[in-house]
Protein backbone atom coordinates (compact mmCIF):
# COMPACT_ATOMS: atom_id res chain seq x y z
CA UNK A 1 0.00 0.00 0.00
CA UNK A 2 1.20 3.50 -0.78
CA UNK A 3 0.14 6.64 1.06
CA UNK A 4 0.58 10.39 0.64
CA UNK A 5 2.70 12.02 3.34
CA UNK A 6 3.99 15.54 3.94
CA UNK A 7 7.41 15.77 2.26
CA UNK A 8 8.17 19.37 3.14
CA UNK A 9 6.65 22.49 4.63
CA UNK A 10 7.63 26.13 4.63
CA UNK A 11 5.70 27.56 7.55
CA UNK A 12 4.39 31.15 7.69
CA UNK A 13 5.97 33.09 4.86
CA UNK A 14 4.63 36.43 3.67
CA UNK A 15 3.57 37.07 0.11
CA UNK A 16 5.99 39.55 -1.44
CA UNK A 17 4.24 39.83 -4.79
CA UNK A 18 1.36 38.76 -7.01
CA UNK A 19 1.84 38.84 -10.78
CA UNK A 20 -1.40 38.18 -12.66
CA UNK A 21 0.28 38.59 -16.06
CA UNK A 22 2.52 35.55 -15.73
CA UNK A 23 1.99 32.04 -17.07
CA UNK A 24 1.52 30.52 -13.61
CA UNK A 25 3.26 29.10 -10.53
CA UNK A 26 4.74 30.31 -7.27
CA UNK A 27 8.20 31.87 -7.18
CA UNK A 28 10.05 30.87 -4.00
CA UNK A 29 13.45 32.12 -2.79
CA UNK A 30 15.81 29.34 -3.87
CA UNK A 31 17.34 29.18 -0.37
CA UNK A 32 13.90 28.27 1.00
CA UNK A 33 13.38 25.71 -1.76
CA UNK A 34 16.71 24.06 -0.91
CA UNK A 35 15.99 24.04 2.82
CA UNK A 36 12.62 22.39 2.20
CA UNK A 37 13.88 19.98 -0.48
CA UNK A 38 11.52 21.44 -3.07
CA UNK A 39 12.61 21.12 -6.70
CA UNK A 40 11.76 23.32 -9.65
CA UNK A 41 8.43 22.28 -11.13
CA UNK A 42 7.29 20.38 -8.04
CA UNK A 43 3.61 20.62 -7.10
CA UNK A 44 3.07 22.86 -4.09
CA UNK A 45 -0.07 23.23 -1.99
CA UNK A 46 -0.56 26.80 -0.80
CA UNK A 47 -2.60 27.53 2.31
CA UNK A 48 -3.43 31.21 2.85
CA UNK A 49 -3.82 31.92 6.57
CA UNK A 50 -5.40 35.32 5.87
CA UNK A 51 -8.36 34.24 3.76
CA UNK A 52 -8.53 30.44 4.01
CA UNK A 53 -7.77 29.86 0.31
CA UNK A 54 -6.09 26.57 -0.61
CA UNK A 55 -4.66 26.04 -4.06
CA UNK A 56 -2.05 24.05 -5.90
CA UNK A 57 0.55 25.16 -8.41
CA UNK A 58 4.20 24.42 -9.13
CA UNK A 59 7.42 25.91 -7.76
CA UNK A 60 9.91 28.02 -9.66
CA UNK A 61 13.11 29.30 -8.03
CA UNK A 62 13.43 32.94 -7.06
CA UNK A 63 16.56 34.90 -6.30
CA UNK A 64 18.59 33.41 -3.45
CA UNK A 65 18.45 35.39 -0.22
CA UNK A 66 15.62 37.60 -1.47
CA UNK A 67 12.79 36.18 0.65
CA UNK A 68 10.64 36.23 -2.49
CA UNK A 69 7.25 34.55 -2.37
CA UNK A 70 5.34 35.61 -5.49
CA UNK A 71 2.11 34.06 -6.73
CA UNK A 72 1.91 34.14 -10.51
CA UNK A 73 -0.94 33.86 -13.00
CA UNK A 74 -4.45 33.08 -11.81
CA UNK A 75 -3.15 32.23 -8.31
CA UNK A 76 -2.29 35.93 -7.91
CA UNK A 77 -6.01 36.57 -7.43
CA UNK A 78 -6.02 34.36 -4.32
CA UNK A 79 -3.49 36.38 -2.31
CA UNK A 80 -2.56 39.91 -1.34
CA UNK A 81 0.92 41.19 -0.63
CA UNK A 82 1.62 40.56 3.05
CA UNK A 83 -0.68 37.52 3.37
CA UNK A 84 0.82 34.71 5.46
CA UNK A 85 1.12 31.35 3.68
CA UNK A 86 2.05 27.79 4.47
CA UNK A 87 3.63 25.92 1.54
CA UNK A 88 3.37 22.13 1.57
CA UNK A 89 4.62 19.36 -0.71
CA UNK A 90 3.70 15.70 -0.50
CA UNK A 91 5.31 12.38 -1.46
CA UNK A 92 3.82 8.99 -2.20
CA UNK A 93 5.59 6.16 -0.43
CA UNK A 94 5.13 2.70 0.91
CA UNK A 95 3.27 2.55 4.22
CA UNK A 96 6.21 1.07 6.16
CA UNK A 97 8.69 3.61 4.73
CA UNK A 98 6.33 6.43 5.68
CA UNK A 99 6.51 5.42 9.34
CA UNK A 100 10.18 6.40 9.48
CA UNK A 101 10.15 9.30 7.03
CA UNK A 102 10.93 12.76 8.42
CA UNK A 103 9.71 15.75 6.38
CA UNK A 104 11.76 18.90 5.88
CA UNK A 105 10.10 21.57 8.05
CA UNK A 106 11.30 25.13 7.49
CA UNK A 107 10.42 28.03 9.80
CA UNK A 108 11.79 31.21 8.19
CA UNK A 109 11.83 34.64 9.81
CA UNK A 110 8.21 35.80 9.64
CA UNK A 111 9.12 39.38 8.73
CA UNK A 112 11.76 38.77 6.04
CA UNK A 113 11.04 35.21 4.85
CA UNK A 114 14.77 34.53 5.24
CA UNK A 115 16.24 31.47 6.89
CA UNK A 116 17.09 32.04 10.55
Amino acid sequence: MQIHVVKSKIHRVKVTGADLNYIGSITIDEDLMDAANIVEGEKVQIVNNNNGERLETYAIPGTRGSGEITLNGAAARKVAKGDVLILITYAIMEFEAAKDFKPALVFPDEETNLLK
Side-chain angles (χ1 to χ4, degrees):
M1 171 176 40
Q2 293 184 324
I3 61 172
H4 292 252
V5 297
V6 172
K7 178 181 126 323
S8 55
K9 178 170 86 165
I10 302 174
H11 191 75
R12 296 187 61 84
V13 287
K14 285 188 180 177
V15 174
T16 60
D19 185 359
L20 185 60
N21 297 312
Y22 190 90
I23 295 169
S25 68
I26 181 170
T27 305
I28 304 170
D29 177 328
E30 198 165 4
D31 285 342
L32 293 174
M33 287 179 64
D34 288 349
N37 295 325
I38 297 173
V39 298
E40 184 172 357
E42 185 171 357
K43 182 165 78 170
V44 178
Q45 180 182 42
I46 300 162
V47 180
N48 188 327
N49 284 358
N50 290 78
N51 62 20
E53 289 282 354
R54 287 178 170 259
L55 60 122
E56 292 178 341
T57 190
Y58 61 93
I60 60 173
T63 304
R64 284 191 183 278
S66 66
E68 181 179 8
I69 301 291
T70 300
L71 276 291
N72 302 304
R77 294 196 182 274
K78 304 289 187 177
V79 301
K81 189 174 179 180
D83 281 358
V84 175
L85 308 179
I86 298 171
L87 311 179
I88 308 164
T89 65
Y90 299 89
I92 300 170
M93 61 183 65
E94 293 296 327
F95 181 78
E96 289 303 319
K99 289 180 179 180
D100 295 323
F101 179 75
K102 302 292 184 238
L105 305 176
V106 179
F107 298 89
D109 182 278
E110 291 189 30
E111 293 302 316
T112 64
N113 292 343
L114 300 176
L115 296 173
K116 295 180 185 179

